[in-house]
């Protein structure tokens, strides 16, 4: 088949797309383009095992045996020509395709203020970043982490477990905003109990230092001293190279139909962080999700749908889920917490170390968030997929012998 299957993106979603295509019986030419020089690797360990020096960078690599693929790594795609059905690389080479899967993921959002280029100011996105962070942590005494999202909280805990003094900073009033007020407060309490200093509800004016970072000046004028600064301000989808392609953009991503085919084009599919697609639970015309499970599952389906007959294509209806291990505790969520307008604490153990909250919109459950409640999440996943109403869920919960006692509710501010 001329051009075969071309996958642009050499990380998790791209790898899963290649595996999905082969599993569906595709035997043609398979090419994977990636801007990093490294074979596909797993990102979750970067902020934990790799940062703490418990594993090596090689141990983060994912298996690619049996794919029979041409790996074009270390060179970015810079343009897509839909009419010619070609992708242009940074070298000027153009690769033709019959099927195309776009899976270029995200990049770390950079610090936009003073001190961004100082030595000792790090970001964490790639395995190379993880190796640099691991080395820096071994030589540091005190780290300031700007951003108390999942990544920032995980690095804060890793640094604290290595014995560093840690200050976790965020303009929000509580860490890990997608988990809501109740679990966010629990996360803050756990970090404080383990010796992490939290400076919440205040922004950052700049990173201080001349030859090297020596601290952070907060918006209230106070200074947090540190010999290492990690910037964890979230991510930005890698779609800039597609702005002139003719593909439809939505929320920074590429607009797709339920089968993950890009809207307005033929033979082009999308997966992972850059994919914006309609999910039946979200209630929005399109939603974009930046989590490991979503990238993995979307990649596999996009690769499959790209090579099967049209009548065999399947919609992507898997419910997003994510997790984060911190302070010896696992935080989890399933569904769409950002769509919730009301939060209710529905389960809590007697000691309060395990709890589950639900998020709802217009009386329908759209998300569940848990701390220490891993065994409860499959039940909530089923309720969300069944479009359960809040009252219906609470009735079933009251008769569920495995649940913790119902303790109350609160409205989101």
């Amino acid at each position: 088949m001329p051009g075969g299957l071309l996958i642009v993106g050499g990380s998790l979603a791209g790898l899963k797309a290649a595996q999905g295509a082969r599993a569906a019986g595709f035997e043609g030419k398979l090419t994977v383009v990636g801007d990093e020089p490294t074979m596909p690797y797993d990102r979750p360990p970067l902020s934990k095992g790799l940062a703490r020096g418990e594993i090596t960078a090689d141990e983060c690599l994912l298996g690619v045996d049996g794919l029979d693929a041409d790996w074009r790594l270390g060179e970015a795609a810079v343009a897509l020509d839909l009419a010619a059905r070609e992708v242009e690389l940074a070298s000027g080479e153009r690769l033709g395709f019959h099927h195309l899967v776009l899976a270029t993921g995200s990049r770390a959002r950079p610090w936009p203020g003073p001190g961004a280029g100082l030595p000792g100011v790090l970001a964490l996105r790639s395995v190379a970043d993880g190796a640099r962070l691991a080395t820096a942590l071994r030589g540091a005494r005190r780290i300031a982490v700007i951003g108390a999202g999942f990544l920032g909280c995980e690095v804060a805990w890793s640094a604290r477990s290595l014995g560093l003094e840690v200050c976790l900073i965020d303009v929000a009033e509580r860490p890990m905003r997608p988990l809501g007020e109740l679990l966010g407060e629990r996360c803050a309490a756990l970090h404080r109990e383990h010796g992490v200093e939290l400076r919440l509800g205040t922004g950052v004016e700049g990173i201080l230092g001349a030859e090297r970072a020596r601290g952070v000046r907060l918006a209230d004028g106070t200074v947090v001293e540190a010999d290492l600064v990690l910037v964890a301000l979230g991510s930005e989808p890698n779609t800039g190279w597609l702005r002139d392609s003719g593909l439809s953009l939505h929320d920074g991503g590429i607009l797709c139909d339920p089968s993950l085919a890009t809207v307005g084009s033929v033979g082009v599919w999308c997966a992972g962080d850059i994919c914006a697609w309609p999910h039946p639970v979200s209630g929005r015309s399109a939603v974009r999700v930046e989590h490991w499970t979503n990238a993995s599952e979307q990649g596999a389906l996009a690769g499959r749908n790209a090579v099967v007959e049209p009548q065999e294509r399947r919609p992507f209806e898997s419910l997003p889920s994510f997790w984060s291990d911190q302070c010896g505790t696992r935080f989890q969520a399933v569904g769409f917490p950002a769509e919730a307008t009301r939060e209710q604490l529905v389960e809590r153990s007697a000691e309060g170390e395990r709890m589950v909250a639900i998020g709802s919109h217009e009386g329908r459950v759209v998300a569940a968030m848990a701390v220490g409640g891993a065994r409860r999440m499959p039940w909530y996943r089923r309720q969300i997929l069944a479009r359960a109403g809040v009252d219906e869920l609470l009735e079933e919960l009251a008769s569920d012998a495995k649940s913790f006692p119902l303790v109350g509710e609160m409205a989101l501010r």
Side-chain angles (χ1 to χ4, degrees), residues 142 197 199 208 214-218 220-226:
R142 179 173 171 82
E197 177 187 356
R199 301 296 296 272
L208 304 176
R214 62 176 180 83
V216 173
R217 186 183 301 279
L218 303 183
D220 61 10
T222 60
V223 172
V224 175
E225 294 184 357

PDB file of all heavy atoms in Angstrom, residues 142 197 199 208 214-218 220-226:
ATOM      1  N   ARG A 142      17.410  22.303  49.204  1.00  0.00           N
ATOM      2  CA  ARG A 142      16.034  22.794  49.303  1.00  0.00           C
ATOM      3  C   ARG A 142      15.498  23.064  47.899  1.00  0.00           C
ATOM      4  O   ARG A 142      16.163  23.695  47.080  1.00  0.00           O
ATOM      5  CB  ARG A 142      15.990  24.078  50.140  1.00  0.00           C
ATOM      6  CG  ARG A 142      14.600  24.684  50.295  1.00  0.00           C
ATOM      7  CD  ARG A 142      14.639  25.857  51.279  1.00  0.00           C
ATOM      8  NE  ARG A 142      13.397  26.600  51.309  1.00  0.00           N
ATOM      9  CZ  ARG A 142      12.311  26.259  52.004  1.00  0.00           C
ATOM     10  NH1 ARG A 142      12.333  25.166  52.756  1.00  0.00           N
ATOM     11  NH2 ARG A 142      11.220  27.005  51.998  1.00  0.00           N
ATOM     12  N   GLU A 197       6.433  22.284  53.080  1.00  0.00           N
ATOM     13  CA  GLU A 197       5.889  23.623  53.299  1.00  0.00           C
ATOM     14  C   GLU A 197       5.000  23.979  52.113  1.00  0.00           C
ATOM     15  O   GLU A 197       5.416  23.853  50.959  1.00  0.00           O
ATOM     16  CB  GLU A 197       7.018  24.646  53.432  1.00  0.00           C
ATOM     17  CG  GLU A 197       6.524  26.072  53.593  1.00  0.00           C
ATOM     18  CD  GLU A 197       7.642  27.096  53.547  1.00  0.00           C
ATOM     19  OE1 GLU A 197       8.821  26.682  53.462  1.00  0.00           O
ATOM     20  OE2 GLU A 197       7.335  28.300  53.585  1.00  0.00           O
ATOM     21  N   ARG A 199       2.816  26.942  50.190  1.00  0.00           N
ATOM     22  CA  ARG A 199       2.506  28.360  50.042  1.00  0.00           C
ATOM     23  C   ARG A 199       1.433  28.451  48.962  1.00  0.00           C
ATOM     24  O   ARG A 199       1.733  28.508  47.768  1.00  0.00           O
ATOM     25  CB  ARG A 199       3.751  29.149  49.657  1.00  0.00           C
ATOM     26  CG  ARG A 199       4.890  29.047  50.671  1.00  0.00           C
ATOM     27  CD  ARG A 199       4.493  29.660  52.020  1.00  0.00           C
ATOM     28  NE  ARG A 199       4.235  31.087  51.887  1.00  0.00           N
ATOM     29  CZ  ARG A 199       5.185  32.017  52.010  1.00  0.00           C
ATOM     30  NH1 ARG A 199       6.449  31.675  52.255  1.00  0.00           N
ATOM     31  NH2 ARG A 199       4.874  33.295  51.904  1.00  0.00           N
ATOM     32  N   LEU A 208      14.636  34.039  41.509  1.00  0.00           N
ATOM     33  CA  LEU A 208      15.761  34.879  41.877  1.00  0.00           C
ATOM     34  C   LEU A 208      17.086  34.176  41.602  1.00  0.00           C
ATOM     35  O   LEU A 208      17.173  32.948  41.638  1.00  0.00           O
ATOM     36  CB  LEU A 208      15.675  35.245  43.360  1.00  0.00           C
ATOM     37  CG  LEU A 208      14.369  35.921  43.808  1.00  0.00           C
ATOM     38  CD1 LEU A 208      14.390  36.139  45.314  1.00  0.00           C
ATOM     39  CD2 LEU A 208      14.154  37.235  43.071  1.00  0.00           C
ATOM     40  N   ARG A 214      18.455  30.870  43.190  1.00  0.00           N
ATOM     41  CA  ARG A 214      18.638  30.840  44.643  1.00  0.00           C
ATOM     42  C   ARG A 214      17.329  31.019  45.402  1.00  0.00           C
ATOM     43  O   ARG A 214      17.317  31.091  46.629  1.00  0.00           O
ATOM     44  CB  ARG A 214      19.622  31.928  45.071  1.00  0.00           C
ATOM     45  CG  ARG A 214      19.172  33.357  44.769  1.00  0.00           C
ATOM     46  CD  ARG A 214      20.159  34.364  45.316  1.00  0.00           C
ATOM     47  NE  ARG A 214      19.755  35.739  45.056  1.00  0.00           N
ATOM     48  CZ  ARG A 214      18.892  36.413  45.810  1.00  0.00           C
ATOM     49  NH1 ARG A 214      18.337  35.821  46.861  1.00  0.00           N
ATOM     50  NH2 ARG A 214      18.572  37.656  45.515  1.00  0.00           N
ATOM     51  N   GLY A 215      16.222  31.089  44.674  1.00  0.00           N
ATOM     52  CA  GLY A 215      14.951  31.205  45.358  1.00  0.00           C
ATOM     53  C   GLY A 215      13.857  31.725  44.458  1.00  0.00           C
ATOM     54  O   GLY A 215      14.049  31.928  43.252  1.00  0.00           O
ATOM     55  N   VAL A 216      12.696  31.951  45.069  1.00  0.00           N
ATOM     56  CA  VAL A 216      11.510  32.406  44.349  1.00  0.00           C
ATOM     57  C   VAL A 216      10.895  33.573  45.117  1.00  0.00           C
ATOM     58  O   VAL A 216      10.723  33.488  46.344  1.00  0.00           O
ATOM     59  CB  VAL A 216      10.483  31.266  44.216  1.00  0.00           C
ATOM     60  CG1 VAL A 216       9.183  31.768  43.623  1.00  0.00           C
ATOM     61  CG2 VAL A 216      11.049  30.132  43.366  1.00  0.00           C
ATOM     62  N   ARG A 217      10.597  34.657  44.410  1.00  0.00           N
ATOM     63  CA  ARG A 217       9.881  35.773  45.030  1.00  0.00           C
ATOM     64  C   ARG A 217       8.389  35.617  44.736  1.00  0.00           C
ATOM     65  O   ARG A 217       7.978  35.518  43.568  1.00  0.00           O
ATOM     66  CB  ARG A 217      10.369  37.116  44.501  1.00  0.00           C
ATOM     67  CG  ARG A 217       9.729  38.318  45.255  1.00  0.00           C
ATOM     68  CD  ARG A 217      10.172  39.649  44.671  1.00  0.00           C
ATOM     69  NE  ARG A 217      11.606  39.807  44.725  1.00  0.00           N
ATOM     70  CZ  ARG A 217      12.278  40.195  45.815  1.00  0.00           C
ATOM     71  NH1 ARG A 217      11.617  40.442  46.943  1.00  0.00           N
ATOM     72  NH2 ARG A 217      13.583  40.321  45.772  1.00  0.00           N
ATOM     73  N   LEU A 218       7.586  35.588  45.792  1.00  0.00           N
ATOM     74  CA  LEU A 218       6.150  35.425  45.631  1.00  0.00           C
ATOM     75  C   LEU A 218       5.475  36.767  45.375  1.00  0.00           C
ATOM     76  O   LEU A 218       6.059  37.831  45.589  1.00  0.00           O
ATOM     77  CB  LEU A 218       5.561  34.771  46.875  1.00  0.00           C
ATOM     78  CG  LEU A 218       6.158  33.410  47.265  1.00  0.00           C
ATOM     79  CD1 LEU A 218       5.424  32.838  48.473  1.00  0.00           C
ATOM     80  CD2 LEU A 218       6.100  32.441  46.098  1.00  0.00           C
ATOM     81  N   ASP A 220       3.271  38.226  47.008  1.00  0.00           N
ATOM     82  CA  ASP A 220       3.088  39.032  48.217  1.00  0.00           C
ATOM     83  C   ASP A 220       4.395  39.646  48.712  1.00  0.00           C
ATOM     84  O   ASP A 220       4.433  40.278  49.771  1.00  0.00           O
ATOM     85  CB  ASP A 220       2.444  38.201  49.325  1.00  0.00           C
ATOM     86  CG  ASP A 220       3.296  36.995  49.740  1.00  0.00           C
ATOM     87  OD1 ASP A 220       4.457  36.900  49.307  1.00  0.00           O
ATOM     88  OD2 ASP A 220       2.774  36.145  50.500  1.00  0.00           O
ATOM     89  N   GLY A 221       5.470  39.455  47.952  1.00  0.00           N
ATOM     90  CA  GLY A 221       6.750  40.060  48.297  1.00  0.00           C
ATOM     91  C   GLY A 221       7.684  39.176  49.093  1.00  0.00           C
ATOM     92  O   GLY A 221       8.873  39.494  49.227  1.00  0.00           O
ATOM     93  N   THR A 222       7.207  38.087  49.638  1.00  0.00           N
ATOM     94  CA  THR A 222       8.069  37.207  50.425  1.00  0.00           C
ATOM     95  C   THR A 222       8.957  36.381  49.507  1.00  0.00           C
ATOM     96  O   THR A 222       8.655  36.183  48.326  1.00  0.00           O
ATOM     97  CB  THR A 222       7.243  36.271  51.318  1.00  0.00           C
ATOM     98  OG1 THR A 222       6.390  35.461  50.485  1.00  0.00           O
ATOM     99  CG2 THR A 222       6.382  37.062  52.292  1.00  0.00           C
ATOM    100  N   VAL A 223      10.070  35.910  50.057  1.00  0.00           N
ATOM    101  CA  VAL A 223      11.037  35.133  49.290  1.00  0.00           C
ATOM    102  C   VAL A 223      11.139  33.723  49.846  1.00  0.00           C
ATOM    103  O   VAL A 223      11.261  33.536  51.067  1.00  0.00           O
ATOM    104  CB  VAL A 223      12.425  35.800  49.314  1.00  0.00           C
ATOM    105  CG1 VAL A 223      13.483  34.891  48.670  1.00  0.00           C
ATOM    106  CG2 VAL A 223      12.379  37.137  48.584  1.00  0.00           C
ATOM    107  N   VAL A 224      11.059  32.742  48.969  1.00  0.00           N
ATOM    108  CA  VAL A 224      11.272  31.344  49.325  1.00  0.00           C
ATOM    109  C   VAL A 224      12.667  30.967  48.854  1.00  0.00           C
ATOM    110  O   VAL A 224      12.930  30.933  47.649  1.00  0.00           O
ATOM    111  CB  VAL A 224      10.218  30.428  48.669  1.00  0.00           C
ATOM    112  CG1 VAL A 224      10.541  28.962  48.949  1.00  0.00           C
ATOM    113  CG2 VAL A 224       8.822  30.766  49.162  1.00  0.00           C
ATOM    114  N   GLU A 225      13.569  30.717  49.767  1.00  0.00           N
ATOM    115  CA  GLU A 225      14.925  30.346  49.389  1.00  0.00           C
ATOM    116  C   GLU A 225      14.959  28.904  48.892  1.00  0.00           C
ATOM    117  O   GLU A 225      14.285  28.031  49.429  1.00  0.00           O
ATOM    118  CB  GLU A 225      15.871  30.508  50.579  1.00  0.00           C
ATOM    119  CG  GLU A 225      16.044  31.953  51.029  1.00  0.00           C
ATOM    120  CD  GLU A 225      17.056  32.081  52.143  1.00  0.00           C
ATOM    121  OE1 GLU A 225      17.585  31.033  52.596  1.00  0.00           O
ATOM    122  OE2 GLU A 225      17.336  33.220  52.562  1.00  0.00           O
ATOM    123  N   ALA A 226      15.763  28.672  47.844  1.00  0.00           N
ATOM    124  CA  ALA A 226      15.903  27.323  47.276  1.00  0.00           C
ATOM    125  C   ALA A 226      17.127  27.295  46.390  1.00  0.00           C
ATOM    126  O   ALA A 226      17.468  28.299  45.752  1.00  0.00           O
ATOM    127  CB  ALA A 226      14.661  26.945  46.472  1.00  0.00           C
TER     128      ALA A 226
END
